[in-house]
Amino acid sequence: MERIPILKMSGFLLVSIQVDMHDQLAMQLQDDLTNRIATSGARGVLIDISALEIVDSFIGRMLANIAAMSRVLDAETVVVGMQPAVAITLVELGMSMPGVRTALDVDRGMALLNASRAAGDTGHDDVPVS
Amino acid sequence: MTSLSAESLPVETSEHVVSVRQAVRRRAVELGFSLVDQTKIITAASELARNAIQHGGGGEVIIETIALQGRRGLRLAFADRGPGIADVARAMTDGYSTAGGLGLGLSGAKRLSHEFAIEAAPGTGTRVVIVRWK
């Protein structure tokens, strides 16, 4: 069966969506990622959507679900690389994707996850800004 | 309104949602739509195709390149075999869903289009027509 590959890299899970996903494939990815977070103990998930030409309400909801499920499993999700035209359309569609952290590209997304992990390692949620 | 060319595609499975998106993209590119305009009409098509499957039990879409008074545009007419919609005004409200979705399909597709029409008397299926002009 067709599947979107999930890579593990320096303690994070990395997904790059390179195909025009039909709905079952999106649901499969949601299930696979949730299971991989649990089995791998990864603390961060990075989803690269720079190749996606559209994000409709179904894919938007999948991204929001992944972010919510990963949070429950003590991992953080960052969605990176959204095309400007996709962002414009998503907002006009009425989807604000609350609870989904985003970054412009993979580098910034990685930096965000690393910063969260570093902050988490101190054992305090409220790390003072120095 | 003049029809320049038209094609009909089935809307029965989630693979068809993908093929509808691709056909709409092809025509939007042919028409010289900007990237944002392409993205808007493809996203609207995706929402309406999924609605036709989830609520209407499937149907078809006619994708048509049209011209009116020197303007060209893309017209998409979705027709399903479902039960129709008893309360169209309510179905058009953001966040109203009977299928556990986000309830953005119809209202979102309307916002992403220049023209929007819906005929959905109970018992006759639902027909949604959208137009986006270049």
Side-chain angles (χ1 to χ4, degrees):
Chain A
M1 194 187 140
E2 193 186 8
R3 268 194 155 88
I4 311 243
I6 301 170
L7 309 176
K8 191 166 183 201
M9 203 175 96
S10 54
F12 300 132
L13 298 180
L14 196 67
V15 176
S16 184
I17 304 172
Q18 297 288 332
V19 291
D20 195 346
M21 284 188 296
H22 59 79
D23 293 358
Q24 274 85 19
L25 190 57
M27 291 306 294
Q28 184 70 49
L29 175 62
Q30 185 178 313
D31 289 354
D32 287 350
L33 248 183
T34 310
N35 285 321
R36 274 295 287 278
I37 293 167
T39 55
S40 68
R43 299 294 303 277
V45 178
L46 199 125
I47 304 176
D48 174 22
I49 61 164
S50 57
L52 282 191
E53 285 166 317
I54 69 146
V55 172
D56 63 9
S57 64
F58 192 88
I59 295 170
R61 184 162 66 147
M62 175 206 71
L63 293 171
N65 283 350
I66 289 173
M69 289 169 189
S70 70
R71 204 171 301 121
V72 174
L73 295 170
D74 197 25
E76 184 168 11
T77 296
V78 181
V79 173
V80 306
M82 187 183 291
Q83 302 281 349
V86 172
I88 291 166
T89 302
L90 203 53
V91 170
E92 202 160 313
L93 181 63
M95 279 219 76
S96 51
M97 298 216 294
V100 180
R101 293 196 78 173
T102 56
L104 270 185
D105 53 37
V106 174
D107 283 345
R108 290 180 199 221
M110 274 295 191
L112 206 59
L113 288 178
N114 275 317
S116 296
R117 183 160 65 177
D121 284 345
T122 67
H124 298 285
D125 285 341
D126 50 343
V127 178
V129 180
S130 55
Chain B
M1 190 187 84
T2 320
S3 174
L4 300 176
S5 68
E7 66 189 297
S8 167
L9 290 176
V11 185
E12 309 285 348
T13 68
S14 70
E15 280 85 358
H16 288 154
V17 178
V18 175
S19 48
V20 168
R21 290 202 290 251
Q22 287 165 351
V24 171
R25 174 183 300 120
R26 217 163 31 237
R27 280 183 180 258
V29 169
E30 272 170 22
L31 274 167
F33 274 30
S34 73
L35 186 57
V36 171
D37 284 344
Q38 286 173 38
T39 309
K40 285 182 179 176
I41 187 84
I42 296 165
T43 305
S46 189
E47 297 294 338
L48 295 177
R50 187 176 297 105
N51 268 359
I53 295 165
Q54 287 185 343
H55 302 282
E60 64 158 13
V61 59
I62 296 167
I63 305 173
E64 199 173 10
T65 305
I66 56 170
L68 179 69
Q69 294 163 353
R71 292 168 91 194
R72 295 209 299 165
L74 205 48
R75 182 176 187 272
L76 311 179
F78 290 85
D80 68 41
R81 297 182 298 268
I85 301 173
D87 187 344
V88 172
R90 197 164 176 212
M92 292 297 301
T93 312
D94 270 358
Y96 178 75
S97 173
T98 53
L102 294 172
L104 292 174
L106 281 179
S107 53
K110 184 178 183 184
R111 279 193 294 272
L112 293 170
S113 310
H114 291 131
E115 290 171 31
F116 178 96
I118 181 166
E119 293 164 31
T124 59
T126 301
R127 196 176 132 81
V128 181
V129 181
I130 59 170
V131 176
R132 189 156 184 105
W133 297 103
K134 199 201 161 188

